Amino acid sequence: MEKQKKENVFRTLARWLVRWIFGLKYEEKWFGKKQHAEKEIKYKNGVPDDSELIVSPARQVFNRFMDRKFAVVSVIVVLVMFLVVFIGPYFMPKYYDSFTETTQVDLPPTRSFMAVPAELKNDLKSVDSYGSFSVGLSNAGKVYIWGVTRIGASGVNVKNMPEGINDKKIAFAAAGQDHVIAIAEDGTYFGWGSNRFGQIERTPEIEANSNLEPIPDEVANGTLDPTQIKKVTCGYQASAILMQDGTLYIWGNKQTYANLDKFIGRTNMLDIDFTLNNVVGLDSKQTTVVTGIKGLYNTVRPNIGAKGVKIGEYLNGRKINEIRCTTKSLCLLLDDGSICFAGDFDKDVVDVPQLPADERFVDIEGGNYHFVGLTNKGNVYAFGGDHYYQTKVPNLKGQAAKVFAGSFQSYVADANNKLIGKWGLKGYIFGTDGAGADIFQRTIAGGKVTMTVGAIAVIIEIIIGVSIGLISGYFGGWIDILLMRIAEVFSSIPLYPFMLILSSLLSQVAISTNQRLYMIMVILGILGWPGFAYITRAQILVARESEYVTAAQSMGVKETRIAFKHILPNIISVILVNMTLSFAASMQTETSLSFLGFGVNYPQPSWGNMLSRASNATAAINFWWQWLFTSAILVFTTVCINTIGDTLRDVMDPKSSNDK
Amino acid sequence: MGRYILKRVVYMLLVFILLTFVLFCLYQMMPANRAYTDAKAAMTAYKNWPADKQEEKFQELYLEYQRRYGTDTDNKLVLYLRWLGLYPFYDGHRSGLLTGDFGYSYQYAQPVIKVVGPHIRNSFLIGIFTEIAVLGITIPLGIKCAVKKGQRFDRSVQFLSLIGFSTPSFIIYIIFIVIFCSILHLFPVSGMKTPGSTLTGWRNALDVLWHITLPTICLVFGSLASITRICRASMIDALSLDCIRTARAKGLTEKTVVYSHAWRNAIIPMVSIIVGGFFGVISGAMILETMFGFKGMGLLFLNSVRQADYDLIMFLEVIYTFIGLFSNLVIDLTYGIVDPRVRISK
């Protein structure tokens, strides 16, 4: 008879996989026919031999557990989940809890941030972006928009371009946070997107609002000569057009850009750009950064990590040729091809590399946090903010002729206007939350918190509950009565009201987020132990009367030794089952508390507080991705844990028969 | 029996005193001083006085308020006894829980007892509907599953209830709100009645009913799964008893066996859930009420914790603790009614 290979976990799993993918036929071909439960009756000496191999109880439980496919899958899922949430954070070294990004708020799941349309790839004139979408312009004069074009819940979709734009040849296009402006080659102005702060057109309300600067008539009426336009650029909720002769047209929200007033009607400008809160310009003297605010950017740094020097000293006769801004910092390109920086940088930044002796920068572009520099050798370097790996430049073989920086993306075109390289942020698979953070990363980090809280709380429950149950059940008498009364007191504490009080008390005390987390675990553990105590005690009462205990007693084994060494191993199965179910319950309690705002607090993520925004019906439907993925993962995990617990109970219970 | 009840009541009172004392001490840790804030507020009348005079007046006022509120001592026991109404205030009068003075809510500018009344009524209204619906659905379902154990029907109910049991209630509520409010627009999102409406009589009742339908449905679905599971488990245990085999051997109909013999045994473990559920109605459903803006006990408690309305929190805690202990007592007594063995052992 052919020797049957021994079935083990991996073999069984492989078997299922093969059956799932290829079907039963191949499974039997590759793995042999499975031995089914109904065995052929063997005959020994003429009588049916129905004897079974005697296996240890643990082995038996294991075998029976392995028969339940659903439970085995659950074990694997929970293990994978554990690995993901505990090892996952090491694979996202740039993640931190309090990350916020105003330009990336409430974005749905997408991978389209760098999806440059095919027609544009060989005919690239310019790319611009400030927030979630990018605007590309081809040399043929056609405007393309990609990325997340629906802006928040406002109903504005920048994909809806104004009528007539396709008939004109567009010469300039620029994108802001929620608006786009374009100038055609005949001077016609197009603006679309949100007009809440007067970004795109003049209305009586905007003229009446002293906080908003309406668009200049010359621009809106299309009387500008497009051949004389030097630069069209957009900030967060503002836009600017700079002419070759130095005349500046600027409009938008003066609350975001407090120094916008100081730029209105200027005529001697060489360059203009926007940070998140300031308008930054360069005048014809080319020696200072013009902001209208005294001393704002009067120290510069030769490199991002270097020490600040007074701008006059550093320039030492050299002139500034170009200014490019990110949200917080600026990069100045000097007339000798060197660059320097001003403003603030986040901690996660990449310095400018040392250029070879004969190489110098000829152009700089600024994204939201990073800068891209083009050199005279056609090489591209990226530096500055690196949170989404914006500075990881692919090998471009010195072909680069034009560089463009979007919000977190960079695009490079060669001399034939062909797109030869793009890198940066592709999008978010789970979308972003109300603070602009990646929900996928927060889900992993939040899972770590939720699972840790659940696990530690259960361990505390077991330690207290089992010891008390053991002592109480084994010794009986007044100890039993006393301990059980104490357990009753603890179990009659109303959980939620008590937790609410305690956590609002904790919020009065200055403690760190981690200490708060420990407190939550301890409180959950302390309030949850009576359940374990009751179960242990009930099991002990049964076990105490059994023969092996009597035997141990008659042999003179010490009482505590009997309790912990002889009885405990026999009741471990019941504790194991309850541990699993209790783990899921603790996770649920933690998520509910955090959801109410009394557990883990923002910015530390937990699967509960990440869902708190969904308590509002409008937000729940508009920002569905902010709760759907996280709660699906939470439910999936708890279902799997509960399945394990249920199955364990079934297979360990001698009363339950083999039939399911 | 009488002796047993007496013993339990005395024990209950002891635990009640212990718990409330612990809670009371917890509140004392909260950094809020009513006498101080009131004295500061009263000082605005003396704004124009010279600084030293002001300081003197403030100390005077502060002491006066402390004496009025009974916080002129640091002795926690005295404070607690004053709160109970067993220890006299500075001027000799006694006022506290036992004398019928439950405190004053600052958030609502009303005596606590007047604030709590309507909230209890609302919670009760929604809770009683829910409890009846839940028991009406889960018990027949659990019995049917237990009888048809292992069959397709049982397995699918088991699977669904496993998912329901593993889902935190608020996720169920979110899903229901999204489906019924945001997509189907069938029910209002929040509130107890249409804002600004002056409906009376039948119309008003219908309006209220329309508003509480979705919260009730949510609550029902939130607790279906766990009770079905418990009911099924206890019914399966009951069906495997020897007496069932005997009953079947006697030739009784399956109906009699299930509903008379098995069910009477299965109900014993379920007593605590059924009785506890009815008492839990008064406690309200904190998460549900928060999400629907439903003015029940849960929301009241949450708001008073957020607003640090101490008298109100303390009174609500008393209610919660009392309900918890009292329902335990009732559960134990009910055990005696449904389980003759318990009656005899007492």
Side-chain angles (χ1 to χ4, degrees):
Chain A
M1 200 180 126
E2 189 195 347
K3 204 184 164 197
Q4 194 84 29
K5 263 196 181 162
K6 220 177 161 190
E7 294 281 325
N8 60 25
V9 187
F10 300 105
R11 225 179 123 75
T12 315
L13 281 177
R15 194 184 258 280
W16 292 348
L17 196 71
V18 166
R19 189 189 314 166
W20 187 51
I21 298 171
F22 302 102
L24 189 67
K25 215 176 101 190
Y26 282 90
E27 186 210 332
E28 287 182 350
K29 195 170 155 192
W30 292 344
F31 293 95
K33 238 190 170 82
K34 191 165 182 201
Q35 294 280 301
H36 284 291
E38 53 271 0
K39 277 183 249 158
E40 308 159 34
I41 301 167
K42 287 178 200 144
Y43 287 89
K44 198 177 179 184
N45 302 335
V47 286
D49 178 17
D50 56 353
S51 66
E52 280 179 39
L53 193 66
I54 295 174
V55 289
S56 72
R59 180 87 212 166
Q60 193 185 5
V61 164
F62 179 77
N63 287 344
R64 287 172 72 183
F65 192 89
M66 291 310 288
D67 286 343
R68 316 279 179 109
K69 276 173 223 167
F70 199 48
V72 177
V73 172
S74 300
V75 170
I76 293 164
V77 166
V78 171
L79 285 179
V80 167
M81 220 56 143
F82 257 106
L83 286 179
V84 166
V85 300
F86 285 101
I87 297 178
Y90 294 102
F91 288 96
M92 33 187 221
K94 292 177 191 290
Y95 168 84
Y96 58 97
D97 286 348
S98 53
F99 176 81
T100 57
E101 173 52 49
T102 22
T103 61
Q104 305 285 307
V105 170
D106 293 335
L107 299 182
T110 179
R111 300 294 282 169
S112 64
F113 279 5
M114 286 201 294
V116 181
E119 306 102 275
L120 195 59
K121 277 187 180 157
N122 291 318
D123 192 20
L124 191 67
K125 186 174 182 186
S126 75
V127 183
D128 192 21
S129 81
Y130 200 90
S132 57
F133 63 91
S134 303
V135 172
L137 183 64
S138 67
N139 284 309
K142 203 165 175 326
V143 176
Y144 300 90
I145 293 185
W146 64 91
V148 178
T149 54
R150 211 175 72 104
I151 309 295
S154 59
V156 173
N157 192 338
V158 290
K159 198 114 196 170
N160 304 328
M161 292 191 226
E163 276 177 38
I165 192 164
N166 287 329
D167 308 338
K168 306 264 181 175
K169 205 172 167 202
I170 303 297
F172 294 96
Q177 157 72 11
D178 51 6
H179 71 290
V180 187
I181 57 169
I183 308 279
E185 282 191 347
D186 64 354
T188 319
Y189 161 84
F190 293 101
W192 66 97
S194 163
N195 195 33
R196 211 149 59 90
F197 301 102
Q199 294 105 311
I200 54 171
E201 61 189 14
R202 205 175 255 270
T203 62
E205 296 90 60
I206 283 157
E207 281 171 21
N209 192 335
S210 63
N211 283 323
L212 305 178
E213 176 65 27
I215 181 167
D217 283 331
E218 296 95 317
V219 179
N221 299 341
T223 51
L224 290 184
D225 178 6
T227 55
Q228 290 301 309
I229 293 179
K230 188 177 176 188
K231 186 178 183 182
V232 177
T233 184
C234 288
Y236 187 65
Q237 284 156 346
S239 317
I241 294 179
L242 182 66
M243 309 299 286
Q244 298 283 8
D245 63 358
T247 315
L248 181 68
Y249 301 98
I250 188 163
W251 67 95
N253 187 355
K254 285 195 274 193
Q255 272 182 321
T256 337
Y257 293 104
N259 65 346
L260 195 138
D261 265 337
K262 314 248 165 67
F263 284 84
I264 294 166
R266 282 208 181 227
T267 52
N268 56 346
M269 302 302 289
L270 270 182
D271 205 350
I272 185 85
D273 209 345
F274 295 92
T275 68
L276 194 61
N277 307 100
N278 290 303
V279 187
V280 178
L282 179 67
D283 62 10
S284 48
K285 280 186 282 182
Q286 290 180 270
T287 52
T288 49
V289 179
V290 179
T291 57
I293 300 166
K294 217 177 160 200
L296 184 59
Y297 293 124
N298 60 359
T299 52
V300 293
R301 285 173 272 178
N303 205 336
I304 293 168
K307 271 186 110 172
V309 192
K310 279 263 182 294
I311 189 161
E313 276 173 45
Y314 182 77
L315 288 181
N316 195 15
R318 293 178 288 181
K319 303 268 183 188
I320 306 171
N321 268 359
E322 235 180 64
I323 291 188
R324 288 294 179 269
C325 295
T326 64
T327 52
K328 282 182 191 162
S329 55
L330 32 153
C331 178
L332 314 178
L333 177 64
L334 307 186
D335 53 2
D336 66 346
S338 65
I339 53 174
C340 61
F341 300 91
D344 312 315
F345 285 93
D346 287 332
K347 49 185 179 204
D348 187 14
V349 286
V350 171
D351 270 348
V352 187
Q354 183 71 42
L355 295 192
D358 55 343
E359 204 169 6
R360 57 193 178 79
F361 284 106
V362 293
D363 191 18
I364 299 287
E365 289 299 328
N368 277 14
Y369 290 94
H370 71 295
F371 294 103
V372 190
L374 176 69
T375 64
N376 55 348
K377 292 279 174 66
N379 287 327
V380 175
Y381 299 92
F383 34 88
D386 196 32
H387 191 267
Y388 288 117
Y389 301 98
Q390 301 105 299
T391 63
K392 229 178 172 177
V393 186
N395 185 10
L396 299 167
K397 303 189 188 85
Q399 303 269 304
K402 282 196 283 189
V403 291
F404 306 102
S407 42
F408 292 95
Q409 302 82 28
S410 311
Y411 307 88
V412 175
D414 64 5
N416 303 323
N417 299 319
K418 188 171 180 297
L419 181 72
I420 53 169
K422 52 179 183 177
W423 67 93
L425 176 67
K426 273 205 185 104
Y428 310 91
I429 54 172
F430 284 3
T432 62
D433 64 5
D438 187 348
I439 291 181
F440 179 69
Q441 293 189 341
R442 280 182 78 81
T443 305
I444 291 176
K448 190 177 165 186
V449 171
T450 301
M451 284 198 165
T452 316
V453 170
I456 306 277
V458 167
I459 291 171
I460 296 173
E461 278 175 27
I462 289 179
I463 292 173
I464 304 178
V466 170
S467 332
I468 287 187
L470 264 176
I471 296 167
S472 170
Y474 189 78
F475 293 103
W478 64 270
I479 298 180
D480 181 28
I481 294 172
L482 180 75
L483 289 177
M484 282 303 105
R485 288 295 104 117
I486 292 174
E488 252 172 67
V489 172
F490 271 90
S491 58
S492 55
I493 294 175
L495 175 72
Y496 276 82
F498 195 74
M499 278 298 301
L500 256 57
I501 301 287
L502 278 182
S503 71
S504 69
L505 256 179
L506 284 182
S507 61
Q508 316 267 3
V509 193
I511 53 169
S512 73
T513 39
N514 274 340
Q515 281 171 321
R516 195 184 157 85
L517 208 62
Y518 299 143
M519 290 303 290
I520 292 170
M521 295 172 194
V522 171
I523 294 168
L524 280 180
I526 286 178
L527 291 183
W529 66 262
F532 277 99
Y534 293 142
I535 292 161
T536 317
R537 179 175 168 272
Q539 291 291 315
I540 295 280
L541 289 183
V542 177
R544 201 169 60 170
E545 304 303 322
S546 38
E547 286 87 355
Y548 66 91
V549 175
T550 324
Q553 275 169 340
S554 59
M555 278 159 71
V557 182
K558 269 191 202 149
E559 298 269 280
T560 41
R561 200 181 153 78
I562 294 177
F564 283 91
K565 284 267 165 149
H566 292 238
I567 297 180
L568 188 61
N570 280 291
I571 60 165
I572 211 97
S573 63
V574 184
I575 294 169
L576 205 64
V577 170
N578 280 283
M579 183 186 84
T580 324
L581 297 176
S582 214
F583 176 48
S586 298
M587 275 172 62
Q588 283 193 19
T589 315
E590 186 277 327
T591 46
S592 300
L593 278 172
S594 303
F595 178 77
L596 280 176
F598 288 93
V600 180
N601 281 356
Y602 184 86
Q604 188 169 41
S606 99
W607 283 348
N609 70 14
M610 287 175 66
L611 305 175
S612 56
R613 200 153 176 219
S615 59
N616 177 321
T618 335
I621 189 82
N622 279 330
F623 308 123
W624 52 270
W625 60 90
Q626 292 182 349
W627 59 272
L628 191 66
F629 299 116
T630 314
S631 50
I633 289 175
L634 167 63
V635 171
F636 191 54
T637 313
T638 36
V639 165
C640 288
I641 296 171
N642 281 329
T643 309
I644 297 172
D646 277 3
T647 316
L648 272 180
R649 175 161 50 199
D650 278 2
V651 298
M652 281 175 175
D653 186 2
K655 269 190 287 181
S656 80
S657 50
N658 261 326
D659 62 349
K660 201 181 151 201
Chain B
M1 196 69 185
R3 241 190 89 139
Y4 173 75
I5 294 177
L6 193 72
K7 216 170 98 185
R8 283 302 307 253
V9 169
V10 170
Y11 167 68
M12 195 182 103
L13 278 178
L14 279 176
V15 174
F16 181 77
I17 289 168
L18 185 73
L19 272 184
T20 46
F21 183 65
V22 170
L23 286 169
F24 188 83
C25 292
L26 271 179
Y27 290 119
Q28 294 298 318
M29 279 159 65
M30 281 199 170
N33 193 338
R34 225 169 81 198
Y36 186 84
T37 40
D38 281 10
K40 269 275 182 244
M43 278 305 289
T44 48
Y46 310 99
K47 249 198 322 231
N48 301 327
W49 286 22
D52 53 333
K53 270 274 189 74
Q54 261 193 31
E55 183 57 37
E56 208 173 289
K57 182 75 191 167
F58 174 72
Q59 291 303 338
E60 194 182 306
L61 275 173
Y62 183 36
L63 192 64
E64 192 191 317
Y65 275 109
Q66 275 191 325
R67 282 173 180 165
R68 189 185 300 171
Y69 298 142
T71 51
D72 51 338
T73 169
D74 278 336
N75 189 337
K76 294 277 183 294
L77 197 61
V78 169
L79 289 172
Y80 177 66
L81 289 176
R82 272 182 180 164
W83 174 75
L84 275 183
L86 293 175
Y87 193 88
F89 278 67
Y90 180 75
D91 59 359
H93 84 286
R94 269 200 286 266
S95 159
L97 214 56
L98 296 179
T99 62
D101 173 19
F102 299 110
Y104 188 82
S105 162
Y106 280 77
Q107 187 190 348
Y108 294 88
Q110 262 182 344
V112 161
I113 195 81
K114 279 197 176 150
V115 177
V116 172
H119 286 87
I120 286 196
R121 203 195 57 212
N122 287 348
S123 274
F124 191 76
L125 185 69
I126 188 171
I128 215 80
F129 277 128
T130 309
E131 197 60 26
I132 291 168
V134 166
L135 293 181
I137 296 171
T138 53
I139 290 177
L141 200 62
I143 293 176
K144 195 167 179 199
C145 283
V147 173
K148 294 181 181 259
K149 185 190 167 198
Q151 293 177 14
R152 187 179 287 269
F153 175 79
D154 174 45
R155 284 217 302 271
S156 41
V157 171
Q158 276 290 91
F159 182 71
L160 286 180
S161 70
L162 180 72
I163 292 176
F165 174 68
S166 309
T167 312
S169 55
F170 63 91
I171 292 180
I172 297 180
Y173 305 157
I174 292 174
I175 292 169
F176 271 77
I177 290 178
V178 166
I179 292 175
F180 285 102
C181 302
S182 303
I183 296 175
L184 298 177
H185 300 287
L186 276 181
F187 296 108
V189 176
S190 67
M192 275 294 280
K193 57 181 184 181
T194 313
S197 67
T198 49
L199 300 170
T200 48
W202 257 114
R203 303 284 298 276
N204 186 36
L206 277 179
D207 190 50
V208 170
L209 208 62
W210 182 54
H211 276 81
I212 67 168
T213 309
L214 188 58
T216 316
I217 293 175
C218 284
L219 261 187
V220 170
F221 270 82
S223 42
L224 274 187
S226 58
I227 300 184
T228 308
R229 279 163 62 94
I230 294 164
C231 183
R232 176 182 176 271
S234 48
M235 196 64 191
I236 284 175
D237 281 350
L239 279 171
S240 65
L241 288 174
D242 289 341
C243 66
I244 300 299
R245 204 177 305 140
T246 315
R248 287 206 177 113
K250 278 196 296 187
L252 292 182
T253 56
E254 190 61 23
K255 211 171 172 181
T256 325
V257 172
V258 170
Y259 290 99
S260 178
H261 288 71
W263 172 239
R264 283 203 62 183
N265 281 300
I267 203 168
I268 297 167
M270 290 199 61
V271 160
S272 64
I273 288 150
I274 297 172
V275 177
F278 275 105
F279 277 99
V281 158
I282 305 167
S283 317
M286 204 168 282
I287 296 175
L288 179 104
E289 287 169 12
T290 320
M291 290 181 72
F292 282 93
F294 186 87
K295 290 194 174 59
M297 289 289 275
L299 188 61
L300 181 68
F301 185 84
L302 206 70
N303 280 341
S304 55
V305 170
R306 287 200 175 122
Q307 304 283 333
D309 195 346
Y310 298 110
D311 281 8
L312 192 53
I313 305 174
M314 204 58 215
F315 183 61
L316 289 175
E317 279 288 3
V318 166
I319 293 180
Y320 282 138
T321 317
F322 183 76
I323 290 171
L325 292 170
F326 189 68
S327 69
N328 274 352
L329 177 67
V330 176
I331 287 166
D332 280 358
L333 294 180
T334 322
Y335 273 132
I337 296 168
V338 296
D339 192 351
R341 285 166 299 183
V342 178
R343 226 177 312 167
I344 292 161
S345 73
K346 274 162 196 168

